[in-house]
Amino acid sequence: AQTVTQSQPEMSVQEAETVTLSCTYDTSESDYYLFWYKQPPSRQMILVIRQEAYKQQNATENRFSVNFQKAAKSFSLKISDSQLGDAAMYFCAYRDTYSGGGADGLTFGKGTHLIIQP
Amino acid sequence: EAGVVQSPRYKIIEKKQPVAFWCNPISGHNTLYWYLQNLGQGPELLIRYENEEAVDDSQLPKDRFSAERLKGVDSTLKIQPAELGDSAVYLCASSWVGYTFGSGTRLTVV
């Protein structure tokens, strides 16, 4: 079974600074998807960024970028120019590629609580 | 486009009572998921539906939990009887290409 590990229960960063959240995973598959989700107090999971394992290029979405190291099974999230609205729980998640007939469920890590200091 | 709608948003019940949660997915999303999120943890998959068929329910505690998705649209998750340890957030998500999550139901069993 796949596992996702987030070793940082909580991270704190000054507004406008850069912070990196860590994630490692374990799988025997060669093709899969990795995600970072943001969960604010409203509880709704919001997709931050997604990476396909077959793509060597790291995904980027505005201030959010990932460092995907496939051999090391590492998938970290970098948030640049941190803003107060970035404060939330961040979850790393894994999914196998489609096995036919729809997407499998996601396997989540335990999350990192990101605090933004004004 | 309306998102994934869940109700109720909060529910407080006494132990041994039944409880049900409702989810309305995004129109056209054939795949629907129920997740359990304990406090301080990431969500864990309970069940996945493809249209009206439950294709992965291996993590659903079938002695007290049940789910249905009639006509392949709305879904209901039921717990009977509820236990103190069932206190958690129950998230619903639907998928076509990407996933969209609802805001969940926070259940408190007292």
Side-chain angles (χ1 to χ4, degrees):
Chain A
Q2 292 81 10
T3 58
V4 177
T5 302
Q6 293 179 250
S7 59
Q8 304 155 318
E10 185 173 279
M11 291 286 284
S12 181
V13 63
Q14 290 289 129
E15 192 176 4
E17 296 295 307
T18 295
V19 64
T20 299
L21 308 184
S22 301
C23 173
T24 58
Y25 59 94
D26 188 28
T27 182
S28 57
E29 302 293 330
S30 60
D31 201 10
Y32 45 87
Y33 294 91
L34 295 165
F35 306 82
W36 278 98
Y37 279 89
K38 171 184 178 181
Q39 188 179 40
S42 67
R43 299 199 301 260
Q44 186 169 21
M45 286 285 191
I46 301 166
L47 178 65
V48 174
I49 201 164
R50 159 183 147 149
Q51 174 82 41
E52 288 109 330
Y54 68 88
K55 290 185 177 179
Q56 294 187 342
Q57 186 173 7
N58 289 323
T60 300
E61 288 288 341
N62 300 314
R63 297 183 295 108
F64 299 87
S65 61
V66 298
N67 183 4
F68 173 49
Q69 301 289 327
K70 190 173 183 179
K73 296 181 181 175
S74 171
F75 183 60
S76 61
L77 174 70
K78 186 172 81 171
I79 306 174
S80 303
D81 186 25
S82 298
Q83 300 175 1
L84 294 177
D86 295 333
M89 285 294 295
Y90 285 81
F91 291 94
C92 179
Y94 167 101
R95 178 175 73 73
D96 287 336
T97 52
Y98 287 102
S99 57
D104 289 342
L106 297 167
T107 300
F108 287 88
K110 291 187 176 183
T112 296
H113 181 209
L114 179 63
I115 298 168
I116 310 295
Q117 305 278 6
Chain B
E1 176 182 75
V4 175
V5 179
Q6 290 189 247
S7 67
R9 186 149 174 80
Y10 300 91
K11 188 74 176 180
I12 301 174
I13 62 170
E14 294 184 344
K15 61 182 180 180
K16 300 185 180 180
Q17 294 302 306
V19 64
F21 315 122
W22 176 79
C23 175
N24 179 235
I26 291 176
S27 178
H29 282 197
N30 296 332
T31 310
L32 182 145
Y33 314 80
W34 283 102
Y35 288 86
L36 164 68
Q37 186 175 20
N38 286 306
L39 183 64
Q41 303 290 319
E44 300 172 13
L45 181 68
L46 287 174
I47 190 168
R48 170 167 71 101
Y49 280 94
E50 292 298 332
N51 298 301
E52 65 274 8
E53 181 183 359
V55 296
D56 182 0
D57 63 355
S58 58
Q59 301 305 310
L60 188 72
K62 298 181 182 63
D63 56 337
R64 297 183 300 107
F65 286 66
S66 64
E68 61 182 11
R69 190 184 184 195
L70 301 177
K71 300 181 181 178
V73 182
D74 294 1
S75 178
T76 302
L77 178 68
K78 299 177 181 178
I79 307 175
Q80 182 172 12
E83 297 179 351
L84 295 177
D86 297 331
S87 295
V89 172
Y90 293 82
L91 289 167
C92 179
S94 68
S95 172
W96 174 241
V97 175
Y99 297 85
T100 303
F101 285 82
S103 295
T105 296
R106 179 178 296 280
L107 173 67
T108 302
V109 183
V110 298

